[in-house]
Amino acid sequence: MELDIERFEGLKALLNDVSTKTREELEARILEFACITQVAKDVSSTLKLEECLKILADRIADLLSVERISLMLLDPGTRELVIKMSKGLDESIAKQTRIKLGEGVAGWIAKEGKPLLLTDIDKDHRFMKKDSGYKTNSLLSVPLKVKDKVIGVINVNNKVKEGVFKEDDLNVLMAISELAAIAIENARLHEEVKALDNMKSNFISNVSHELRSPLTSIKESVSLLLDEVSGSLNADQKKYLEIAKRNIERLSRLIDDLLDLAKIESGKTDMRRLFINIVTIAEDAVSSFEVLAGNKNITLGIRVNPPVIKVWADPDKLTQALSNLIDNAIKYSPKDSSVMVEVIDKRGVVEVSVSDNGIGISEENINRLFDKFNRLEDAIQNRVKGTGLGLAITKELIQLHGGEISVESKPEEGSRFCFTLPKDLRKR
Ligand code: ADP
């Protein structure tokens, strides 16, 4: 970001003819210039709107030594200016104030997009004398503009010491407002995106919860029918009920995955970390897939080095992440192939990998592999069941542990999914 030095008439003149001005005066101007840059830097240091506005109000108050300051933002819905941060202003006034475009000084600034310095307050038709207990001698009001669009207004009343605001004060405030507006807009957009994302996660979470109970009762009823509790079934009836059962199970898996993901994304996942041996976790996960691998005559093996590798991790979440990878390796591999799980201590980190000789993944598909609901054409064509959420969840679970996941793969040769975890997160 660059400041427009041309605007600072006084500074320009001083720089042209240093000898005619005192050194102190020159230094004061340079300091002022540095302060403006610092304010812009400070204001941009956060993406939290309230924090951003507070820093801005504090720094302007310090820099210009003012009695009152109010930062107003334009409500995009009502098109009214609302005070979002103030100093030296009665809180109830700040809360109530709503200014329409064109109304009073701030409304005029927002409508015209121009700055204003007023010293002859009483004679100006734009000045509304609402707060009778307070007397304004001089005021500065400047627009907060992003690409010519006014997003708010900064108002400043009265110098703390005697005297009135001068053109130079207005220029300082203008320079700050130009830089601050971008930071404010960024923070505002960031908060909007965060709010939308939260809404989306809550919506998914609520809907999934609501779907769960009726689904459980459908599942139980179908199981009772299949167990012939209410009478014997003919072959066709059994066949159709089996289809229903399989699809109910698929739907349950999808709902569980959606709930898991919504929970992780909204930051509501409880991490129950323990100092555990990750080798045991991997061995248990491998044994729980022996039957599934056996059904396809897949050799499922595990290699570890050394036999005990302690990590500070949530055992259930690690099991879930590793199980997703083993499940995929088996699902996307042909009969009579092999899947190998390796757990290796690499000093500060532990590396866990799952390798298969399955269908593999092409280079252009690797990048979107961890996206939600992403199922590759091969998986769909081969009629392998899945929700397309497993890898997205796995990635989140690994990241919750401060780890990283990567994949190497060649079509028709196989894939190797590998994640690394820091052994002791407490040291991070
Ligand atoms: P799914 O429930 O479909 O398995 P995942 O998120 O676990 O969802 O995986 C996303 C997609 O990545 C899969 O649909 C599949 O196309 C591909 N994939 C995942 N693991 C493998 C693997 N080991 N080999 C080949 N393709 C894989």
Side-chain angles (χ1 to χ4, degrees):
M1 271 187 276
E2 276 206 1
L3 290 170
D4 181 9
I5 207 164
E6 293 294 321
R7 190 187 288 142
F8 296 88
E9 291 287 332
L11 180 56
K12 244 184 87 191
L14 283 170
L15 287 169
N16 286 341
D17 189 9
V18 178
S19 59
T20 60
K21 300 281 174 185
T22 64
R23 190 177 174 78
E24 270 173 27
E25 208 177 329
L26 180 59
E27 276 174 5
R29 288 306 178 102
I30 291 171
L31 188 70
E32 191 179 86
F33 196 72
C35 286
I36 293 169
T37 322
Q38 189 58 43
V39 174
K41 236 176 158 181
D42 292 347
V43 172
S44 317
S45 68
T46 176
L47 276 174
K48 291 187 182 128
L49 184 60
E50 202 179 328
E51 213 174 286
C52 174
L53 295 173
K54 170 130 192 9
I55 296 174
L56 183 60
D58 285 348
R59 299 292 188 277
I60 293 174
D62 282 354
L63 196 60
L64 296 178
S65 268
V66 300
E67 270 184 18
R68 260 188 185 188
I69 172 162
S70 63
L71 304 182
M72 306 178 111
L73 292 187
L74 196 62
D75 184 319
T78 61
R79 306 288 297 151
E80 286 174 333
L81 287 167
V82 181
I83 299 180
K84 293 286 182 184
M85 186 59 64
S86 64
K87 272 176 93 86
L89 186 64
D90 192 280
E91 220 174 282
S92 61
I93 296 179
K95 267 194 185 141
Q96 286 165 18
T97 306
R98 294 269 181 289
I99 307 278
K100 291 194 171 55
L101 285 185
E103 193 180 272
V105 171
W108 183 87
I109 302 287
K111 194 170 171 208
E112 301 296 325
K114 290 180 193 157
L116 197 65
L117 159 63
L118 281 185
T119 46
D120 221 350
I121 305 289
D122 294 331
K123 291 199 185 123
D124 197 285
H125 65 281
R126 289 165 291 205
F127 186 69
M128 296 188 297
K129 209 165 174 244
K130 267 191 179 165
D131 178 12
S132 54
Y134 184 79
K135 173 141 181 49
T136 300
N137 302 322
S138 68
L139 69 80
L140 300 173
S141 205
V142 301
L144 283 159
K145 278 207 258 186
V146 178
K147 287 191 197 147
D148 284 338
K149 193 181 109 202
V150 176
I151 61 157
V153 174
I154 304 178
N155 305 296
V156 156
N157 299 58
N158 292 353
K159 279 187 158 298
V160 172
K161 291 182 193 140
E162 71 261 24
V164 290
F165 290 120
K166 304 234 167 59
E167 203 63 31
D168 267 356
D169 296 316
L170 184 68
N171 288 335
V172 167
L173 197 60
M174 272 300 285
I176 292 175
S177 78
E178 275 178 22
L179 300 169
I182 300 162
I184 291 171
E185 187 69 345
N186 280 346
R188 190 150 87 163
L189 290 175
H190 181 75
E191 292 200 347
E192 265 175 31
V193 170
K194 246 175 63 188
L196 278 175
D197 220 44
N198 262 346
M199 246 170 74
K200 182 206 70 187
S201 293
N202 284 341
F203 173 75
I204 292 178
S205 179
N206 291 341
V207 171
S208 308
H209 265 298
E210 291 304 318
L211 287 173
R212 239 185 189 170
S213 351
L215 199 63
T216 310
S217 102
I218 298 171
K219 202 169 166 179
E220 279 163 8
S221 307
V222 169
S223 291
L224 285 172
L225 285 172
L226 271 171
D227 290 345
E228 302 188 324
V229 174
S230 54
S232 54
L233 302 168
N234 65 34
D236 271 355
Q237 287 168 333
K238 262 197 182 161
K239 191 174 95 190
Y240 296 135
L241 281 172
E242 289 290 356
I243 295 173
K245 192 181 169 195
R246 275 202 301 280
N247 282 290
I248 292 165
E249 276 162 5
R250 225 176 107 200
L251 204 52
S252 298
R253 262 201 315 274
L254 177 62
I255 290 170
D256 286 348
D257 282 354
L258 278 173
L259 270 171
D260 272 349
L261 207 58
K263 230 174 164 185
I264 297 172
E265 282 182 345
S266 60
K268 287 184 192 143
T269 317
D270 300 324
M271 287 289 277
R272 266 170 270 152
R273 287 201 184 92
L274 303 169
F275 210 40
I276 45 158
N277 181 9
I278 191 166
V279 170
T280 316
I281 301 268
E283 282 168 349
D284 289 349
V286 166
S287 14
S288 68
F289 280 97
E290 263 155 18
V291 176
L292 202 69
N295 290 343
K296 284 175 88 174
N297 200 29
I298 287 176
T299 316
L300 176 59
I302 179 162
R303 253 198 304 263
V304 301
N305 184 23
V308 176
I309 310 170
K310 292 272 193 159
V311 289
W312 181 245
D314 182 319
D316 291 340
K317 301 211 167 42
L318 267 195
T319 303
Q320 189 181 354
L322 186 54
S323 299
N324 276 341
L325 297 182
I326 303 175
D327 189 32
N328 279 349
I330 298 172
K331 275 196 310 192
Y332 301 111
S333 289
K335 282 184 180 166
D336 309 316
S337 58
S338 61
V339 170
M340 178 58 74
V341 176
E342 279 184 296
V343 187
I344 303 195
D345 189 345
K346 292 206 163 173
R347 298 243 166 99
V349 297
V350 53
E351 188 182 273
V352 182
S353 64
V354 181
S355 312
D356 64 56
N357 324 115
I359 59 173
I361 303 144
S362 65
E363 215 177 309
E364 74 254 30
N365 284 329
I366 281 206
N367 289 340
R368 48 190 189 94
L369 208 60
F370 295 93
D371 292 352
K372 284 175 265 184
F373 296 109
N374 185 39
R375 305 207 68 218
L376 306 182
E377 208 41 54
D378 285 348
I380 298 162
Q381 268 176 14
N382 289 337
R383 294 177 165 269
V384 182
K385 286 193 193 107
T387 59
L389 288 172
L391 285 179
I393 294 173
T394 303
K395 186 177 176 186
E396 296 277 1
L397 291 173
I398 298 302
Q399 284 177 344
L400 280 175
H401 285 88
E404 279 167 25
I405 185 161
S406 61
V407 54
E408 293 161 14
S409 186
K410 270 209 174 121
E412 280 156 57
E413 283 187 24
S415 314
R416 180 174 181 267
F417 284 80
C418 172
F419 65 82
T420 50
L421 297 180
K423 283 198 286 183
D424 190 349
L425 251 188
R426 290 171 300 181
K427 285 188 192 148
R428 292 196 124 207

